[in-house]
Amino acid sequence: MRGRTLTRRDLGRLIALGGLGWIRSNGRASARARQQPPPAAPSEGLEQILERIRTKYRLPGLAATVITGDKAVRNGVAGVRRQGAPDKIEPADRFHIASCTKSMTATLAAIAVHKGQLEWTTSLSDALPSLAAKIRPEYRSATLEALLAHRARMPAYTQPNQKQVEQMKALKGSPAEQRLAFLAEALSTEEPNPGSGNDAYSNVGYAAAGAMIERAAGASWEELLRRELAQPLGMKNMGFGYPATASAPNQPRGHSESDGSIVELPLDESRQLAVCLWPAGAVHCSIGDLGLYVADHLNGLRGRRSLLPQAIYQRLHHPPGGGDSGFTLGWGIRPDQRWGVTHFGAGSGGWFFVRILIVPVHDAAVVAASNSGQAGDATRELCMELLEKFA
């Protein structure tokens, strides 16, 4: 089905969601799942499970990878790139991972710490002295760790208004220069975030962390992501922004719902997340590439060969204040009676939906992705079913 033209209100809302990551159920599952499918047969394979759940929730496409032991052992895709079109999703096709990008930014920060370029306690003013004089005093002492854990009282910018979106889009210069210009403006005019818990969630904090990493490493966040993560892990299908563009249309198109109709993501760049916020939610990659990345974190948590020492992964995956639930550095954790402490990430810019679930005690992880922004319930059900069947 071809999408209708979005209104300016739709545009601002969906661009704003590009960094949103603490995902809850959207409450629309019952409308899609009017008929309960039969339970999975013991012989049902990954592709059959994907197709069954995709059909149940009426999604255009669905993909998953299952990691057990030290590597991704099963990748699968189902469905089509565009609702109503014949082009089937291919294994190398790319999905926008939105706020799951945050864990990658946190991993880049960990690499910088491991190399001695930064410390977890490095403050914003120490890392970016040219910015310190321009911003409010409350932000100057924010540490790298606090920024990554949403504990620095940074403005949210998860739902910026239309004026803010236009100002971010109008920034000039390289991506690194745009981030510094954005931070100088936002952190000089915006008051500290008074929220706690989920309400403390901030995309600005990740823009700030990205800028700190860039200056310490002497390279852009984009270059570092390719050089320090994608290349060592063998991620060959990774990029930034939404995967389908006017110059590369043969990729999954995002889909959303508006007033009961399916809206297809256009091929222009008007719905892309502003470059200054890319460290908070801009990566796209194939389901297999995302599996390689998640497998590295599972390996690190289990003490196997990985990009970084086990102690660093443990720091990334535990709240700075301790406990077994809440925000960590780029992730979230919560206890589960069945699976122990689960480590998770979720991201949606309104057009795609990605969910990651790591269960270190069972030495397993699953990743699910869809080219529909309304796939929250579907990916949750898929992840739990895949854990039960394969882990």
Side-chain angles (χ1 to χ4, degrees), residues 21-25 198 317-319 322-328 331-347 353-361 366 376 379-381 383-384 387:
W22 202 262
I23 304 295
R24 298 184 177 90
S25 170
N198 291 354
H317 283 265
H318 288 85
D324 61 359
S325 65
F327 288 120
T328 72
W331 300 86
I333 62 169
R334 57 176 167 243
D336 183 272
Q337 187 174 5
R338 170 73 174 88
W339 298 103
V341 175
T342 61
H343 304 235
F344 65 92
F353 201 106
V354 171
R355 189 181 299 278
I356 301 170
L357 191 61
I358 303 174
V359 286
V361 172
V366 290
T379 55
R380 180 184 293 107
E381 179 177 329
C383 284
M384 300 313 298
L387 280 180

Side-chain angles (χ1 to χ4, degrees), residues 45-51 54 61-67 72-79 88-93 95 285-291 366-370 382 386 390:
L46 176 56
E47 286 76 12
Q48 288 74 35
I49 295 172
L50 286 168
E51 182 58 28
R54 185 191 73 83
L62 193 59
T65 186
V66 180
I67 299 116
V73 294
R74 294 177 178 87
N75 297 320
V77 296
K88 293 189 178 298
I89 292 178
E90 300 292 336
D93 280 358
F95 293 82
C285 61
S286 68
I287 193 68
D289 277 2
L290 193 53
V366 290
V367 184
S370 175
L382 177 61
L386 293 180
F390 295 112

Side-chain angles (χ1 to χ4, degrees), residues 24-230:
R24 298 184 177 90
S25 170
N26 56 38
R28 298 191 180 115
S30 59
R32 287 190 192 81
R34 294 173 184 170
Q35 293 184 350
Q36 184 71 19
S43 60
E44 191 177 26
L46 176 56
E47 286 76 12
Q48 288 74 35
I49 295 172
L50 286 168
E51 182 58 28
R52 172 168 50 80
I53 293 180
R54 185 191 73 83
T55 301
K56 173 183 175 180
Y57 288 92
R58 302 182 183 179
L59 303 173
L62 193 59
T65 186
V66 180
I67 299 116
T68 56
D70 62 351
K71 61 184 178 180
V73 294
R74 294 177 178 87
N75 297 320
V77 296
V80 294
R81 292 168 173 168
R82 297 175 60 192
Q83 186 85 357
D87 294 346
K88 293 189 178 298
I89 292 178
E90 300 292 336
D93 280 358
R94 306 175 181 197
F95 293 82
H96 188 259
I97 73 171
S99 270
C100 291
T101 301
K102 287 182 172 69
S103 72
M104 295 183 176
T105 299
T107 305
L108 287 182
I111 292 171
V113 169
H114 184 58
K115 290 183 174 182
Q117 298 167 338
L118 287 170
E119 296 180 1
W120 295 118
T121 55
T122 300
S123 70
L124 191 58
S125 60
D126 287 340
L128 300 169
S130 65
L131 186 66
K134 303 174 184 178
I135 64 177
R136 294 173 64 108
E138 300 96 322
Y139 299 127
R140 294 171 189 164
S141 61
T143 65
L144 179 63
E145 183 175 61
L147 290 166
L148 297 172
H150 303 289
R151 295 186 174 211
R153 302 185 65 198
M154 290 280 148
Y157 272 69
T158 53
Q159 298 186 43
N161 58 43
Q162 189 64 34
K163 180 180 179 181
Q164 291 169 328
V165 170
E166 291 172 354
Q167 289 174 337
M168 290 188 290
K169 293 277 190 173
L171 294 170
K172 304 297 182 183
S174 69
E177 290 169 340
Q178 290 187 46
R179 282 185 267 278
L180 284 175
F182 165 71
L183 292 169
E185 173 64 23
L187 299 185
S188 65
T189 58
E190 301 277 352
E191 294 186 358
N193 185 348
S196 60
N198 291 354
D199 292 334
Y201 192 88
S202 171
N203 286 334
V204 178
Y206 272 77
M212 292 172 68
I213 297 164
E214 286 175 323
R215 187 175 188 277
S220 71
W221 173 85
E222 292 82 1
E223 180 183 344
L224 290 168
L225 201 60
R226 293 189 182 98
R227 188 179 75 201
E228 303 289 352
L229 281 184

